[in-house]
Amino acid sequence: QVQFVESGGGSVQAGGSLKLSCIVSKWTDSGFCMGWFRQAPGKEREGVAGLYTRGGQRYYADSVKDRFTISYDDVTNTLYLEMNNLKPEDSGVYICAADPAAWYTVKGVMAASDFKYWGQGTQVTVSS
C-alpha cells in the first residue's frame, strides 16, 4: 500500500507563491513516476506537473510552464511543487500521485488514468 502525506496548501493573493510537499512511503526499489494533479469544482482532474524519480523528461501543463517547478528528494522520498506568480485559475485541490511508469513521456500529456496510487490532496486558493 502506497501512502502519501501532502502539505503546503493555503490561501494567497494573485502573484503570490506556495510550495507543496508530498511525502511518499517507500514502495519500490525501482524508479517510478510522480505527478501533481489539480481539481477545481465542476472540472476534470488536470495533470499539472510530473517527473520520473530516476531523471529524464519532466512534464508541465502549458498553463503552468515557467511558473511551477516540480522536484523530488530521494533521500526523504518527498515530491515538491514550487508555484510562483499564482493566478486565480490555479485554485483547486492539488493531489499527488504515483505510478511505476511515466506514460507522459510517450503520450505527451499526463492523464489521471495513467496513475495507480493517489494522495488525499491539499487545497490551494488564489484570490484576485
Side-chain angles (χ1 to χ4, degrees):
Q1 184 77 8
V2 182
Q3 295 180 323
F4 304 84
V5 179
E6 296 145 308
S7 61
S11 297
V12 295
Q13 296 276 343
S17 299
L18 284 173
K19 187 171 184 178
L20 307 182
S21 300
C22 174
I23 303 172
V24 59
S25 59
K26 185 169 172 61
W27 57 286
T28 177
D29 290 327
S30 301
F32 54 96
C33 179
M34 288 203 74
W36 286 100
F37 288 78
R38 67 186 177 195
Q39 188 156 25
K43 293 191 176 181
E44 291 190 2
R45 191 167 291 190
E46 173 192 17
V48 174
L51 56 73
Y52 190 71
T53 58
R54 296 283 172 89
Q57 180 187 351
R58 297 186 180 190
Y59 174 86
Y60 292 99
D62 288 342
S63 59
V64 307
K65 280 179 182 174
D66 300 323
R67 298 189 298 123
F68 290 12
T69 302
I70 189 171
S71 60
Y72 182 73
D73 183 334
D74 59 7
V75 174
T76 61
N77 299 330
T78 304
L79 181 73
Y80 297 100
L81 185 67
E82 186 167 359
M83 307 185 292
N84 297 312
N85 191 20
L86 283 160
K87 304 176 180 181
E89 53 263 41
D90 293 319
S91 297
V93 177
Y94 281 70
I95 310 160
C96 69
D99 192 85
W103 287 106
Y104 65 82
T105 62
V106 175
K107 297 182 176 182
V109 64
M110 199 172 79
S113 57
D114 291 332
F115 283 76
K116 190 172 299 183
Y117 306 109
W118 292 88
Q120 295 298 311
T122 183
Q123 177 70 44
V124 171
T125 303
V126 185
S127 56
S128 57

mmCIF file of all heavy atoms in Angstrom, residues 13-46:
data_model
loop_
_atom_site.group_PDB
_atom_site.id
_atom_site.type_symbol
_atom_site.label_atom_id
_atom_site.label_comp_id
_atom_site.label_asym_id
_atom_site.label_seq_id
_atom_site.Cartn_x
_atom_site.Cartn_y
_atom_site.Cartn_z
ATOM 1 N N GLN A 13 -2.793 35.660 -2.309
ATOM 2 C CA GLN A 13 -3.242 36.637 -3.296
ATOM 3 C C GLN A 13 -2.609 36.300 -4.646
ATOM 4 O O GLN A 13 -1.551 35.654 -4.719
ATOM 5 C CB GLN A 13 -2.790 38.035 -2.874
ATOM 6 C CG GLN A 13 -3.390 38.532 -1.587
ATOM 7 C CD GLN A 13 -4.758 39.147 -1.795
ATOM 8 O OE1 GLN A 13 -5.140 39.485 -2.914
ATOM 9 N NE2 GLN A 13 -5.510 39.281 -0.725
ATOM 10 N N ALA A 14 -3.257 36.727 -5.706
ATOM 11 C CA ALA A 14 -2.690 36.561 -7.038
ATOM 12 C C ALA A 14 -1.292 37.177 -7.082
ATOM 13 O O ALA A 14 -1.069 38.254 -6.513
ATOM 14 C CB ALA A 14 -3.587 37.218 -8.077
ATOM 15 N N GLY A 15 -0.385 36.469 -7.728
ATOM 16 C CA GLY A 15 1.008 36.896 -7.787
ATOM 17 C C GLY A 15 1.868 36.303 -6.690
ATOM 18 O O GLY A 15 3.093 36.417 -6.731
ATOM 19 N N GLY A 16 1.249 35.660 -5.725
ATOM 20 C CA GLY A 16 1.982 35.068 -4.618
ATOM 21 C C GLY A 16 2.550 33.700 -4.962
ATOM 22 O O GLY A 16 2.439 33.215 -6.093
ATOM 23 N N SER A 17 3.150 33.068 -3.955
ATOM 24 C CA SER A 17 3.820 31.778 -4.139
ATOM 25 C C SER A 17 3.421 30.791 -3.042
ATOM 26 O O SER A 17 3.090 31.202 -1.920
ATOM 27 C CB SER A 17 5.343 31.959 -4.104
ATOM 28 O OG SER A 17 5.780 32.816 -5.138
ATOM 29 N N LEU A 18 3.479 29.528 -3.389
ATOM 30 C CA LEU A 18 3.293 28.434 -2.431
ATOM 31 C C LEU A 18 4.210 27.291 -2.841
ATOM 32 O O LEU A 18 4.530 27.134 -4.031
ATOM 33 C CB LEU A 18 1.841 27.932 -2.425
ATOM 34 C CG LEU A 18 0.776 28.766 -1.721
ATOM 35 C CD1 LEU A 18 -0.603 28.176 -1.984
ATOM 36 C CD2 LEU A 18 1.043 28.848 -0.225
ATOM 37 N N LYS A 19 4.588 26.470 -1.859
ATOM 38 C CA LYS A 19 5.366 25.270 -2.162
ATOM 39 C C LYS A 19 4.668 24.080 -1.518
ATOM 40 O O LYS A 19 4.517 24.018 -0.292
ATOM 41 C CB LYS A 19 6.793 25.404 -1.645
ATOM 42 C CG LYS A 19 7.696 24.249 -2.081
ATOM 43 C CD LYS A 19 9.158 24.524 -1.727
ATOM 44 C CE LYS A 19 10.068 23.420 -2.239
ATOM 45 N NZ LYS A 19 11.490 23.704 -1.950
ATOM 46 N N LEU A 20 4.235 23.153 -2.363
ATOM 47 C CA LEU A 20 3.572 21.947 -1.889
ATOM 48 C C LEU A 20 4.582 20.830 -1.674
ATOM 49 O O LEU A 20 5.573 20.731 -2.393
ATOM 50 C CB LEU A 20 2.515 21.491 -2.901
ATOM 51 C CG LEU A 20 1.485 22.525 -3.337
ATOM 52 C CD1 LEU A 20 0.488 21.884 -4.309
ATOM 53 C CD2 LEU A 20 0.783 23.138 -2.156
ATOM 54 N N SER A 21 4.292 19.979 -0.692
ATOM 55 C CA SER A 21 5.139 18.817 -0.409
ATOM 56 C C SER A 21 4.282 17.560 -0.366
ATOM 57 O O SER A 21 3.117 17.612 0.042
ATOM 58 C CB SER A 21 5.843 18.974 0.936
ATOM 59 O OG SER A 21 6.656 20.115 0.967
ATOM 60 N N CYS A 22 4.868 16.459 -0.769
ATOM 61 C CA CYS A 22 4.168 15.175 -0.715
ATOM 62 C C CYS A 22 5.191 14.103 -0.349
ATOM 63 O O CYS A 22 6.064 13.769 -1.167
ATOM 64 C CB CYS A 22 3.525 14.862 -2.054
ATOM 65 S SG CYS A 22 2.782 13.216 -2.152
ATOM 66 N N ILE A 23 5.105 13.587 0.870
ATOM 67 C CA ILE A 23 5.977 12.510 1.301
ATOM 68 C C ILE A 23 5.319 11.192 0.904
ATOM 69 O O ILE A 23 4.153 10.951 1.233
ATOM 70 C CB ILE A 23 6.207 12.545 2.819
ATOM 71 C CG1 ILE A 23 6.784 13.901 3.242
ATOM 72 C CG2 ILE A 23 7.152 11.416 3.245
ATOM 73 C CD1 ILE A 23 6.856 14.084 4.747
ATOM 74 N N VAL A 24 6.058 10.365 0.187
ATOM 75 C CA VAL A 24 5.507 9.085 -0.267
ATOM 76 C C VAL A 24 6.218 7.951 0.454
ATOM 77 O O VAL A 24 7.448 8.001 0.650
ATOM 78 C CB VAL A 24 5.626 8.956 -1.809
ATOM 79 C CG1 VAL A 24 7.064 9.042 -2.277
ATOM 80 C CG2 VAL A 24 4.977 7.659 -2.296
ATOM 81 N N SER A 25 5.465 6.952 0.877
ATOM 82 C CA SER A 25 6.087 5.792 1.535
ATOM 83 C C SER A 25 6.915 5.029 0.510
ATOM 84 O O SER A 25 6.586 4.997 -0.674
ATOM 85 C CB SER A 25 5.013 4.888 2.139
ATOM 86 O OG SER A 25 4.122 4.421 1.139
ATOM 87 N N LYS A 26 7.995 4.419 0.983
ATOM 88 C CA LYS A 26 8.848 3.663 0.060
ATOM 89 C C LYS A 26 8.111 2.393 -0.348
ATOM 90 O O LYS A 26 7.755 1.565 0.482
ATOM 91 C CB LYS A 26 10.183 3.331 0.728
ATOM 92 C CG LYS A 26 11.166 2.648 -0.205
ATOM 93 C CD LYS A 26 12.542 2.578 0.401
ATOM 94 C CE LYS A 26 13.473 1.739 -0.449
ATOM 95 N NZ LYS A 26 13.638 2.300 -1.793
ATOM 96 N N TRP A 27 7.855 2.243 -1.646
ATOM 97 C CA TRP A 27 7.061 1.104 -2.101
ATOM 98 C C TRP A 27 7.740 0.299 -3.190
ATOM 99 O O TRP A 27 7.245 -0.759 -3.594
ATOM 100 C CB TRP A 27 5.688 1.587 -2.621
ATOM 101 C CG TRP A 27 5.761 2.599 -3.723
ATOM 102 C CD1 TRP A 27 6.103 3.916 -3.603
ATOM 103 C CD2 TRP A 27 5.492 2.391 -5.110
ATOM 104 N NE1 TRP A 27 6.059 4.543 -4.825
ATOM 105 C CE2 TRP A 27 5.689 3.640 -5.769
ATOM 106 C CE3 TRP A 27 5.103 1.289 -5.861
ATOM 107 C CZ2 TRP A 27 5.495 3.801 -7.142
ATOM 108 C CZ3 TRP A 27 4.914 1.447 -7.229
ATOM 109 C CH2 TRP A 27 5.113 2.701 -7.845
ATOM 110 N N THR A 28 8.894 0.778 -3.656
ATOM 111 C CA THR A 28 9.616 0.040 -4.678
ATOM 112 C C THR A 28 11.076 0.457 -4.652
ATOM 113 O O THR A 28 11.393 1.581 -4.241
ATOM 114 C CB THR A 28 9.019 0.311 -6.069
ATOM 115 O OG1 THR A 28 9.797 -0.389 -7.056
ATOM 116 C CG2 THR A 28 9.024 1.791 -6.401
ATOM 117 N N ASP A 29 11.947 -0.434 -5.063
ATOM 118 C CA ASP A 29 13.355 -0.101 -5.198
ATOM 119 C C ASP A 29 13.673 0.406 -6.602
ATOM 120 O O ASP A 29 14.797 0.844 -6.875
ATOM 121 C CB ASP A 29 14.228 -1.322 -4.893
ATOM 122 C CG ASP A 29 14.196 -1.701 -3.419
ATOM 123 O OD1 ASP A 29 14.076 -0.773 -2.581
ATOM 124 O OD2 ASP A 29 14.287 -2.903 -3.114
ATOM 125 N N SER A 30 12.691 0.368 -7.474
ATOM 126 C CA SER A 30 12.868 0.855 -8.837
ATOM 127 C C SER A 30 12.456 2.315 -8.919
ATOM 128 O O SER A 30 11.810 2.844 -8.014
ATOM 129 C CB SER A 30 12.005 0.039 -9.812
ATOM 130 O OG SER A 30 12.334 -1.322 -9.762
ATOM 131 N N GLY A 31 12.841 2.952 -10.010
ATOM 132 C CA GLY A 31 12.366 4.302 -10.257
ATOM 133 C C GLY A 31 10.874 4.284 -10.526
ATOM 134 O O GLY A 31 10.300 3.255 -10.885
ATOM 135 N N PHE A 32 10.226 5.420 -10.340
ATOM 136 C CA PHE A 32 8.791 5.492 -10.588
ATOM 137 C C PHE A 32 8.424 6.921 -10.939
ATOM 138 O O PHE A 32 9.211 7.851 -10.748
ATOM 139 C CB PHE A 32 7.979 5.008 -9.382
ATOM 140 C CG PHE A 32 8.306 5.690 -8.084
ATOM 141 C CD1 PHE A 32 7.553 6.766 -7.628
ATOM 142 C CD2 PHE A 32 9.362 5.242 -7.301
ATOM 143 C CE1 PHE A 32 7.849 7.386 -6.438
ATOM 144 C CE2 PHE A 32 9.664 5.865 -6.098
ATOM 145 C CZ PHE A 32 8.908 6.941 -5.663
ATOM 146 N N CYS A 33 7.236 7.075 -11.451
ATOM 147 C CA CYS A 33 6.729 8.375 -11.857
ATOM 148 C C CYS A 33 5.896 8.973 -10.732
ATOM 149 O O CYS A 33 5.122 8.274 -10.071
ATOM 150 C CB CYS A 33 5.870 8.217 -13.103
ATOM 151 S SG CYS A 33 5.162 9.753 -13.709
ATOM 152 N N MET A 34 6.086 10.271 -10.518
ATOM 153 C CA MET A 34 5.230 11.002 -9.584
ATOM 154 C C MET A 34 4.720 12.253 -10.263
ATOM 155 O O MET A 34 5.414 12.860 -11.087
ATOM 156 C CB MET A 34 5.986 11.369 -8.311
ATOM 157 C CG MET A 34 6.258 10.177 -7.417
ATOM 158 S SD MET A 34 6.528 10.658 -5.689
ATOM 159 C CE MET A 34 4.852 11.062 -5.178
ATOM 160 N N GLY A 35 3.517 12.639 -9.903
ATOM 161 C CA GLY A 35 2.933 13.818 -10.517
ATOM 162 C C GLY A 35 2.020 14.570 -9.568
ATOM 163 O O GLY A 35 1.584 14.039 -8.549
ATOM 164 N N TRP A 36 1.792 15.820 -9.920
ATOM 165 C CA TRP A 36 0.806 16.657 -9.238
ATOM 166 C C TRP A 36 -0.368 16.884 -10.187
ATOM 167 O O TRP A 36 -0.159 17.259 -11.348
ATOM 168 C CB TRP A 36 1.405 18.003 -8.849
ATOM 169 C CG TRP A 36 2.348 17.956 -7.699
ATOM 170 C CD1 TRP A 36 3.708 17.953 -7.738
ATOM 171 C CD2 TRP A 36 1.988 17.936 -6.303
ATOM 172 N NE1 TRP A 36 4.222 17.911 -6.465
ATOM 173 C CE2 TRP A 36 3.192 17.917 -5.562
ATOM 174 C CE3 TRP A 36 0.785 17.930 -5.617
ATOM 175 C CZ2 TRP A 36 3.217 17.883 -4.162
ATOM 176 C CZ3 TRP A 36 0.810 17.904 -4.235
ATOM 177 C CH2 TRP A 36 2.013 17.876 -3.527
ATOM 178 N N PHE A 37 -1.556 16.664 -9.657
ATOM 179 C CA PHE A 37 -2.782 16.968 -10.379
ATOM 180 C C PHE A 37 -3.548 18.022 -9.589
ATOM 181 O O PHE A 37 -3.313 18.211 -8.401
ATOM 182 C CB PHE A 37 -3.656 15.710 -10.513
ATOM 183 C CG PHE A 37 -3.110 14.697 -11.486
ATOM 184 C CD1 PHE A 37 -2.067 13.863 -11.131
ATOM 185 C CD2 PHE A 37 -3.644 14.588 -12.757
ATOM 186 C CE1 PHE A 37 -1.555 12.929 -12.035
ATOM 187 C CE2 PHE A 37 -3.158 13.662 -13.669
ATOM 188 C CZ PHE A 37 -2.107 12.836 -13.297
ATOM 189 N N ARG A 38 -4.464 18.688 -10.261
ATOM 190 C CA ARG A 38 -5.338 19.604 -9.538
ATOM 191 C C ARG A 38 -6.764 19.408 -10.031
ATOM 192 O O ARG A 38 -6.994 19.050 -11.192
ATOM 193 C CB ARG A 38 -4.904 21.048 -9.684
ATOM 194 C CG ARG A 38 -5.038 21.650 -11.069
ATOM 195 C CD ARG A 38 -4.437 23.043 -11.103
ATOM 196 N NE ARG A 38 -4.483 23.632 -12.431
ATOM 197 C CZ ARG A 38 -3.784 24.690 -12.798
ATOM 198 N NH1 ARG A 38 -2.968 25.291 -11.925
ATOM 199 N NH2 ARG A 38 -3.893 25.164 -14.022
ATOM 200 N N GLN A 39 -7.687 19.658 -9.115
ATOM 201 C CA GLN A 39 -9.090 19.533 -9.467
ATOM 202 C C GLN A 39 -9.872 20.687 -8.867
ATOM 203 O O GLN A 39 -9.852 20.890 -7.649
ATOM 204 C CB GLN A 39 -9.661 18.198 -8.989
ATOM 205 C CG GLN A 39 -11.054 17.923 -9.496
ATOM 206 C CD GLN A 39 -11.372 16.455 -9.515
ATOM 207 O OE1 GLN A 39 -10.808 15.662 -8.773
ATOM 208 N NE2 GLN A 39 -12.330 16.071 -10.372
ATOM 209 N N ALA A 40 -10.522 21.438 -9.733
ATOM 210 C CA ALA A 40 -11.385 22.534 -9.319
ATOM 211 C C ALA A 40 -12.830 22.037 -9.353
ATOM 212 O O ALA A 40 -13.145 21.101 -10.082
ATOM 213 C CB ALA A 40 -11.200 23.722 -10.248
ATOM 214 N N PRO A 41 -13.712 22.662 -8.578
ATOM 215 C CA PRO A 41 -15.120 22.232 -8.563
ATOM 216 C C PRO A 41 -15.727 22.229 -9.957
ATOM 217 O O PRO A 41 -15.598 23.202 -10.704
ATOM 218 C CB PRO A 41 -15.788 23.287 -7.671
ATOM 219 C CG PRO A 41 -14.703 23.762 -6.779
ATOM 220 C CD PRO A 41 -13.462 23.744 -7.620
ATOM 221 N N GLY A 42 -16.356 21.114 -10.324
ATOM 222 C CA GLY A 42 -17.017 21.012 -11.616
ATOM 223 C C GLY A 42 -16.100 20.779 -12.793
ATOM 224 O O GLY A 42 -16.554 20.745 -13.940
ATOM 225 N N LYS A 43 -14.798 20.616 -12.524
ATOM 226 C CA LYS A 43 -13.845 20.409 -13.621
ATOM 227 C C LYS A 43 -13.167 19.056 -13.488
ATOM 228 O O LYS A 43 -13.126 18.462 -12.411
ATOM 229 C CB LYS A 43 -12.792 21.521 -13.624
ATOM 230 C CG LYS A 43 -13.351 22.892 -13.959
ATOM 231 C CD LYS A 43 -12.237 23.889 -14.203
ATOM 232 C CE LYS A 43 -12.794 25.234 -14.641
ATOM 233 N NZ LYS A 43 -11.706 26.208 -14.907
ATOM 234 N N GLU A 44 -12.621 18.588 -14.596
ATOM 235 C CA GLU A 44 -11.888 17.324 -14.580
ATOM 236 C C GLU A 44 -10.543 17.489 -13.890
ATOM 237 O O GLU A 44 -9.984 18.585 -13.843
ATOM 238 C CB GLU A 44 -11.679 16.835 -16.015
ATOM 239 C CG GLU A 44 -12.953 16.382 -16.695
ATOM 240 C CD GLU A 44 -12.672 15.692 -18.016
ATOM 241 O OE1 GLU A 44 -11.503 15.537 -18.386
ATOM 242 O OE2 GLU A 44 -13.648 15.317 -18.683
ATOM 243 N N ARG A 45 -10.048 16.373 -13.391
ATOM 244 C CA ARG A 45 -8.725 16.378 -12.776
ATOM 245 C C ARG A 45 -7.681 16.640 -13.874
ATOM 246 O O ARG A 45 -7.649 15.945 -14.887
ATOM 247 C CB ARG A 45 -8.483 15.037 -12.088
ATOM 248 C CG ARG A 45 -7.276 15.004 -11.206
ATOM 249 C CD ARG A 45 -7.301 13.776 -10.329
ATOM 250 N NE ARG A 45 -8.364 13.838 -9.327
ATOM 251 C CZ ARG A 45 -8.493 12.988 -8.318
ATOM 252 N NH1 ARG A 45 -7.634 11.991 -8.182
ATOM 253 N NH2 ARG A 45 -9.480 13.103 -7.460
ATOM 254 N N GLU A 46 -6.820 17.613 -13.624
ATOM 255 C CA GLU A 46 -5.860 18.066 -14.630
ATOM 256 C C GLU A 46 -4.438 17.761 -14.187
ATOM 257 O O GLU A 46 -4.056 18.074 -13.055
ATOM 258 C CB GLU A 46 -6.020 19.584 -14.824
ATOM 259 C CG GLU A 46 -4.979 20.218 -15.727
ATOM 260 C CD GLU A 46 -4.994 21.734 -15.665
ATOM 261 O OE1 GLU A 46 -5.570 22.302 -14.720
ATOM 262 O OE2 GLU A 46 -4.410 22.361 -16.570
#
